[in-house]
Amino acid sequence: MAANTNSFWVPPSKRRKILLEHHAPPLIPGLPDHIAQLCLSLIHPSILFSVCHSWRRLIYSSSFPPFLSLYAVLTCKAYSDSIHFYSFDPISSHWRSLPPPRPDPPLRILLRHPSFLSRNLPIQSIAVSGNLVLLAATAHNLYPALSRPLIFNPLRRDWNVGPLLPNPRRWCALGTARGSVYVASGIGTQFSIDVARSLEKWDLNGKSGEVWEKKTGLKDGRFSRDAIDAVGWRGKICMVNVKGNAAKEGIMYDVENDEWNDMPEGMLSGWRGPVAAMDEEVMYAVDEAKSALSKYNAKNDAWEEVMQSERLRGAEQLAAQGGRICVVSAGGVGISVVDVVSSPARLWEVDLPAGFEAAAVHILPRMPIPEPPESSDID
């Protein structure tokens, strides 16, 4: 009777859930569910999704190893100053909106301004240690929109805030290496040579996770001209001073020795568009003019072409994880995905939600969801 009495302290909706779970059929007949789950975790989620409802619920539960999904920062075509956060589930081919961030004061971001007719104002975000971090953008008064990072954790489905930035930026060089975020150069409220030469580190998982640590600065302010992706690669942060296909200068920061060095000539020569590194080990670049995806060979200091496709023309941003390269191109209504593990490499398009354009894309673990999507394969 004590157990039955205690159940009255549970809200009715939760009581129904408990009763359903109590009478739910086993995941695999004849096996305890915790053993069955260990067995099923060895099977690709796309196979489990189409078999039965109980297995589909399992792959979206918090106890099942999360598969990788796309996370996109989207802008709305109808409203020039509206940004949205979405996740694309590759198993169900379904877009799902993230819970909105709730900073204090409310987040207000300017994407376009009459003084900058030919360009969009950048929104800078990054994936680090399984989190989506929004770090730099422009407010309506042309001031930095964020005084501290906004952090979304997919497994907890919630937003949090990071430590106050010593100098909030409108744009900067933003990168990650070994679980830490690095912010270099850029422009704050107005141009400052101290900010333009600065480098700060934020270790999300370390003892200093509540503060930004000042590191050795750049030799000059020439890297403050653009919103730059600083690529973490083999213990170094690699960055160039301008985006696109223009002539540029390249440098690398050694995170172990806290020192700057020139970028190898071969690496710099192929940096003709966005660049990303797979697991901080293999660097990929898209030549936005030639619409070619290449891989960097450090031994020969040269880039080797992986594939060429018109879908990659005008590429603006890359994400690399799990054997996939995801490409955002200018004015595109979709995200190009390249499987670089298969030979030859395969490319397909993921359509965006209607009315949206992608400002950035990242690859992170899927969110657990209470009710999995339906499948036409299951009666």
Side-chain angles (χ1 to χ4, degrees):
M1 289 296 294
N4 291 336
T5 303
N6 288 340
S7 69
F8 285 103
W9 291 98
V10 182
S13 59
K14 200 164 187 179
R15 286 205 302 272
R16 287 193 296 270
K17 182 178 179 181
I18 292 172
L19 289 172
L20 286 172
E21 289 177 349
H22 181 74
H23 296 291
L27 292 172
I28 299 177
L31 285 179
D33 276 358
H34 68 283
I35 300 297
Q37 182 171 321
L38 290 175
C39 298
L40 295 175
S41 67
L42 302 175
I43 303 173
H44 197 279
S46 62
I47 298 174
L48 302 180
F49 181 88
S50 299
V51 175
C52 62
H53 291 283
S54 60
W55 288 10
R56 195 184 321 143
R57 281 193 297 269
L58 174 66
I59 67 174
Y60 289 100
S61 70
S62 57
S63 61
F64 194 80
F67 52 85
L68 294 175
S69 298
L70 290 180
Y71 287 77
V73 182
L74 304 180
T75 60
C76 184
K77 297 177 182 179
Y79 303 98
S80 59
D81 297 336
S82 175
I83 68 167
H84 304 262
F85 301 91
Y86 274 77
S87 172
F88 179 77
D89 175 358
I91 304 300
S92 65
S93 299
H94 181 75
W95 283 100
R96 182 172 289 103
S97 61
L98 274 59
R102 301 186 182 279
D104 186 20
L107 180 63
R108 298 190 67 195
I109 288 178
L110 181 66
L111 301 177
R112 298 172 186 86
H113 191 274
S115 300
F116 306 97
L117 294 176
S118 62
R119 60 181 294 178
N120 293 334
L121 299 176
I123 304 166
Q124 289 182 266
S125 56
I126 198 166
V128 55
S129 298
N131 299 285
L132 171 62
V133 176
L134 182 67
L135 191 132
T138 303
H140 284 257
N141 52 7
L142 292 181
Y143 281 17
L146 297 167
S147 60
R148 59 176 72 211
L150 295 177
I151 314 156
F152 180 75
N153 184 288
L155 300 183
R156 294 198 304 264
R157 290 175 58 91
D158 66 3
W159 290 88
N160 210 329
V161 293
L164 282 169
L165 286 155
N167 296 285
R169 326 286 168 109
R170 286 184 284 164
W171 60 74
C172 56
L174 176 61
T176 177
R178 298 178 178 175
S180 294
V181 175
Y182 290 84
V183 172
S185 196
I187 294 179
T189 303
Q190 55 189 358
F191 177 80
S192 163
I193 189 61
D194 291 335
V195 174
R197 294 181 56 192
S198 68
L199 172 67
E200 276 108 18
K201 171 188 174 182
W202 169 36
D203 184 353
L204 275 72
N205 305 309
K207 294 181 180 179
S208 60
E210 295 303 316
V211 296
W212 288 88
E213 180 184 355
K214 190 175 182 62
K215 310 300 288 186
T216 299
L218 291 79
K219 62 181 180 180
D220 54 50
R222 284 182 289 178
F223 287 76
S224 63
R225 302 171 185 172
D226 214 337
I228 300 164
D229 291 325
V231 180
W233 175 75
R234 300 185 180 182
K236 297 176 175 60
I237 298 287
C238 309
M239 53 188 266
V240 295
N241 60 332
V242 291
K243 300 177 74 173
N245 201 34
K248 50 181 65 74
E249 178 183 349
I251 54 175
M252 300 196 305
Y253 173 74
D254 187 322
V255 302
E256 189 74 29
N257 299 313
D258 188 26
E259 64 181 18
W260 292 93
N261 298 290
D262 291 334
M263 183 179 287
E265 291 185 7
M267 180 187 290
L268 179 60
S269 67
W271 203 296
R272 299 183 178 277
V275 178
M278 186 87 68
D279 300 320
E280 298 184 13
E281 275 296 319
V282 184
M283 190 180 294
Y284 292 88
V286 171
D287 186 322
E288 63 177 54
K290 295 182 179 179
S291 62
L293 173 68
S294 300
K295 178 173 67 174
Y296 180 64
N297 184 322
K299 183 178 180 180
N300 299 329
D301 188 25
W303 293 86
E304 303 169 348
E305 186 171 304
V306 175
M307 72 173 305
Q308 191 168 4
S309 172
E310 280 300 309
R311 294 183 180 180
L312 303 179
R313 190 172 298 278
E316 292 186 336
Q317 196 249 340
L318 297 187
Q321 188 70 27
R324 305 290 190 269
I325 306 292
C326 299
V327 186
V328 174
S329 298
V333 295
I335 296 169
S336 299
V337 181
V338 184
D339 180 352
V340 294
V341 176
S342 64
S343 183
R346 298 186 301 115
L347 182 148
W348 62 93
E349 195 91 359
V350 173
D351 292 331
L352 294 173
F356 288 99
E357 295 177 342
V361 63
H362 304 286
I363 304 174
L364 293 163
R366 64 94 181 97
M367 295 185 294
I369 55 176
E371 293 297 331
E374 294 298 324
S375 171
S376 58
D377 297 330
I378 299 178
D379 296 329

